[in-house]
Structure formats: structure tokens, C-alpha cells
Amino acid sequence: MAAQQGIVGFNSLIDGQPGTPLLPQLTVVPSYNFEEEKFVNQLSMSAVPASSGFWCQAQFEFFAPVVKAFDGEIDVEKSVAASWQQRWLIDDGSLPTLSTVVEVQVPYDDSNANTEISLIGIVAKSTGWGAVYLNSLAVSEDGSDFSSVDFSGVIGAKRIVNATLAVFADITIDEDGLYALELSAERDYSNGLSLGPGIRLLRSGDGSNGIDVSIGIMIFKVFGG
């Protein structure tokens, strides 16, 4: 079930499945936005701390500062983030996988910036042809004030083509009516490497009918397996 639900692609979906226990995992996600002519690169390391018990269902991830290249200049976002993902219920063929993710993004070298806290609820269900996903996201941009929270959701599906190839489609919608369509793929290799190219079509938030187009690839590597 967990193997059916795994996601390694350039998309916003989270499957709620912990990775391989006790083996570090590296994720690199370079992308390019054509409308803004902006390059963005994200880097993170994650690990599952135990091979049995409660903590074998947990995954901790550390996100390095995001690097952006825009108008010929390179900017490093002055914040780092960490997350705790916990799988509370495993898909047993009848009930779905239920998981949560708590992520904290902490600024540095910027006295005016706030700590951002996110809570994600995940439902994932294996099917005969792949899996379906529902993510609900609540974000407080000021971790000391939960009176103002932004909500969004992602719904998507994975189609397994064969043992090493899958494709994804998903839609993101937020409370302001902005939405994004994402199409991506996942190609797995025997050495623990996975590549996930994709495209994101985002409705512009300036009131126009324009579409922002981004392309990217998720590069995922499990070490020591």
C-alpha cells in the first residue's frame, strides 16, 4: 500500500508515508517560472528515526534556505524550516492512510519577520490503478497569533504505469479562489534515486486571466540502501 502511495514528483501533493527507516534522504527541487523569469531551488534532508514502534511512522525534515535567481541577482531566503510528519493510520485496504505534518519556518537576520507555522492534514487511498490524495493546509504567517489563518487544499491522483514509472495530476485551491494545476511524473531507479519532472500552471493573483507557468524537477535520493 505504501509503495503505491509514494510521491516523488514536481507537485504540491504530500502522501503522508514515512521514508525508509534510519536512512537519510535528500530532496532537491529546482524550478523556473517563465512569467517572472525566476529560478528557485529548494533543498532538504529527511529521516525516519526508528525501524519499529511509534517513531517508525514519523519523518523529520530540515529545509535549507531557498535560493532564488531573479533579474540577474541571486537571493538566499533568510529563513530555515523543519517539519514533523506522523502517519497515524496505515491504509489496510479498507481504511485510508491518515497523516499530519507540522512545519515551522523560522527567519534569521530579519527582526521584522515572523515565524510561520503550517499544519497539513493528509488522506491517501490506494486504488487498483494507483492512489488518490487529499491535503488540507492551514498556515499562520505569525506563529504568535492564530487569529488569522490561511487555508488551502490539494486534491490529486497517481497513476502507476509500471514498476518504475508513475504520473500525477492535482489541483490546488485556496480561500481567495486562486488555483493551480500540476502535471508531473516519477521515475524510480534501483540505486535509490528518483526523478520527478513536472509543470505547474498557476492562475495569476493580480486580477487578470493570466497564467503563470513553472517547470521543475524533484530529485530524490535515499542513502545507504
Side-chain angles (χ1 to χ4, degrees):
M1 294 297 180
Q4 276 190 300
Q5 293 178 20
I7 294 177
V8 181
F10 180 66
N11 57 54
S12 302
L13 290 169
I14 301 174
D15 63 357
Q17 309 293 326
T20 306
L22 306 177
L23 297 181
Q25 299 150 51
L26 172 69
T27 304
V28 183
V29 189
S31 63
Y32 182 78
N33 183 295
F34 288 93
E35 299 300 318
E36 299 179 359
E37 298 182 346
K38 179 171 65 177
F39 172 81
V40 178
N41 188 61
Q42 297 174 300
L43 171 68
S44 65
M45 289 290 298
S46 60
V48 176
S51 58
S52 62
F54 178 83
W55 295 112
C56 78
Q57 304 300 328
Q59 180 164 296
F60 295 92
E61 190 163 9
F62 174 79
F63 299 84
V66 175
V67 178
K68 300 179 180 180
F70 181 68
D71 282 344
E73 297 183 358
I74 296 177
D75 177 54
V76 179
E77 214 173 67
K78 293 183 172 60
S79 67
V80 294
S83 72
W84 166 37
Q85 175 185 283
Q86 186 71 40
R87 182 168 60 180
W88 304 101
L89 181 65
I90 301 174
D91 185 350
D92 62 358
S94 57
L95 296 175
T97 291
L98 299 178
S99 304
T100 56
V101 178
V102 178
E103 182 177 315
V104 179
Q105 184 171 334
V106 182
Y108 63 88
D109 291 341
D110 188 348
S111 58
N112 296 320
N114 297 316
T115 296
E116 181 179 290
I117 299 178
S118 304
L119 174 62
I120 305 170
I122 302 161
V123 179
K125 186 71 182 76
S126 295
T127 68
W129 45 265
V132 293
Y133 309 91
L134 175 63
N135 298 167
S136 57
L137 173 64
V139 179
S140 172
E141 294 185 354
D142 183 353
S144 62
D145 180 12
F146 291 96
S147 61
S148 178
V149 178
D150 296 325
F151 295 95
S152 61
V154 186
I155 184 169
K158 171 182 180 176
R159 175 73 169 93
I160 297 175
V161 179
N162 55 47
T164 61
L165 178 64
V167 293
F168 302 91
D170 67 271
I171 296 176
T172 301
I173 303 174
D174 68 16
E175 56 188 344
D176 295 324
L178 296 178
Y179 59 85
L181 170 65
E182 299 174 322
L183 303 172
S184 59
E186 172 189 340
R187 177 71 166 86
D188 300 321
Y189 299 88
S190 58
N191 61 354
L193 175 68
S194 296
L195 301 179
I199 183 170
R200 178 180 296 133
L201 307 175
L202 173 65
R203 181 183 176 188
S204 299
D206 57 6
S208 68
N209 292 321
I211 300 294
D212 288 345
V213 180
S214 298
I215 61 171
I217 183 170
M218 178 177 283
I219 304 167
F220 180 82
K221 172 64 177 176
V222 178
F223 295 95

